[in-house]
Amino acid sequence: MLGQQLLVIGRQVRTPHGKWIDLLAMNYEGNLHVLELKRDRTPREVVAQILDYGSWISTLDRDSVIEIANTHFAATRADPEFEQAFTEIFEAPAPDELNEETTMTIVATSLDDSSERIVTYLREFGVPINAVFFSYLEDEERRYLARSWMASEASSSAPISTRRASKRAEWNGRDWFVTFGDGDHRDWEDARRYGFASAGGGEWYSRTLRSLPVGARIFVHIPKHGYVGVGVTIGEAIAFAEAEVESDGQRVLLCQQPLAADYEHSDQKPSLDADLAEYVVPVQWETTVSKSEAYWVKGMFANQNSAGKLRQEFTLERLLSHFGIEDE
């Protein structure tokens, strides 16, 4: 709907059938909006026209959507990359999945009766189509632009999903991101020195970290700073109280080493509560930098999960280049 902020990713987008879509936009969830602009009263043929556009748009995979966006941005923006434009508008990285749903909107001064009946009928079956009307008003020296929707969002059945596997960014089967919450309960310099990544303080925080497989290549991100290290996991996650690290050629308990943080989330020391415990994954670092040297570029991927699959090529390509890693 036009009440939410949209990123315009294409103007006059040519379809394979020789037609031109007035505006193609995207919302913060990565879903596409087809906007057909009509200055005057519109005949019912415009409904068939926008349905034709929507049927094609719904088939676009992630790469096709990004290609359309980058072609448009190259001529209109200083930052011609889709990921950077998305982050600038929505202040968050683009989602892994794009174009899960497609919404069609006719923008006009009015619709004829036949068109209104067709749009209303289609909405009853969950087709995500609507019309919005704009009127220009003057009151003495004041001017207004009034907007009204033909139908409220609540009047439609659930929108039809256009989800397809190809609309999600492919994963290379190897690379993961890890969010390291540097602060009172954990310290990045400890992790660099002893070779580990950690998360905890609740099942939600540690669950994804505990899912990391042995042999995963991880890229570590510190919130509000950037990426600070790359390494490979060499063991499964284990509670901090039981975690061992190598020191002077021997395996020793991590909790008995001189550490900058306490790695505790309860009054018990060490915590015996499995849900609250800090979990530690042993890592063989390939390269690390201090928090003050963290690397970050607008449009890069990060989220609040402690760990997850790193799918976004934009982020991966820049990390490999920045840390001087030659990928296979």
Side-chain angles (χ1 to χ4, degrees), residues 109-151:
T109 55
S110 64
L111 283 180
D112 59 87
D113 293 341
S114 177
S115 296
E116 288 197 13
R117 289 195 302 269
I118 295 171
V119 170
T120 300
Y121 178 76
L122 291 172
R123 288 178 58 81
E124 290 176 355
F125 288 90
V127 178
I129 185 173
N130 206 343
V132 62
F133 310 122
F134 287 90
S135 301
Y136 175 75
L137 307 172
E138 290 188 9
D139 179 15
E140 296 179 350
E141 296 182 353
R142 289 169 293 197
R143 297 174 176 82
Y144 306 93
L145 186 64
R147 182 194 68 186
S148 61
W149 287 92
M150 195 197 84

Side-chain angles (χ1 to χ4, degrees), residues 169-185:
E170 293 184 5
W171 181 52
N172 61 18
R174 178 184 182 186
D175 292 322
W176 300 69
F177 72 89
V178 168
T179 300
F180 192 93
D182 183 85
D184 293 336
H185 298 300

Side-chain angles (χ1 to χ4, degrees), residues 64-219:
S64 298
V65 172
I66 293 177
E67 182 181 359
I68 291 173
N70 286 343
T71 299
H72 171 65
F73 296 151
T76 60
R77 301 180 65 93
D79 296 327
E81 300 267 9
F82 163 75
E83 288 84 359
Q84 293 177 315
F86 190 98
T87 299
E88 181 178 325
I89 295 297
F90 301 115
E91 299 182 347
D96 288 334
E97 188 162 6
L98 301 180
N99 196 22
E100 182 180 358
E101 295 176 1
T102 303
T103 298
M104 297 164 285
T105 303
I106 302 169
V107 182
T109 55
S110 64
L111 283 180
D112 59 87
D113 293 341
S114 177
S115 296
E116 288 197 13
R117 289 195 302 269
I118 295 171
V119 170
T120 300
Y121 178 76
L122 291 172
R123 288 178 58 81
E124 290 176 355
F125 288 90
V127 178
I129 185 173
N130 206 343
V132 62
F133 310 122
F134 287 90
S135 301
Y136 175 75
L137 307 172
E138 290 188 9
D139 179 15
E140 296 179 350
E141 296 182 353
R142 289 169 293 197
R143 297 174 176 82
Y144 306 93
L145 186 64
R147 182 194 68 186
S148 61
W149 287 92
M150 195 197 84
S152 67
E153 292 302 304
S155 67
S156 175
S157 302
I160 296 175
S161 174
T162 58
R163 189 173 196 171
R164 291 174 176 83
S166 62
K167 295 187 177 182
R168 186 166 189 168
E170 293 184 5
W171 181 52
N172 61 18
R174 178 184 182 186
D175 292 322
W176 300 69
F177 72 89
V178 168
T179 300
F180 192 93
D182 183 85
D184 293 336
H185 298 300
R186 67 188 63 86
D187 187 273
W188 172 236
E189 291 305 315
D190 288 342
R192 295 179 69 191
R193 178 181 179 185
Y194 292 106
F196 69 88
S198 69
E203 197 275 338
W204 187 88
Y205 298 103
S206 61
R207 173 177 50 83
T208 53
L209 187 83
R210 300 200 311 255
S211 71
L212 281 174
V214 177
R217 183 168 66 180
I218 63 171
F219 294 82

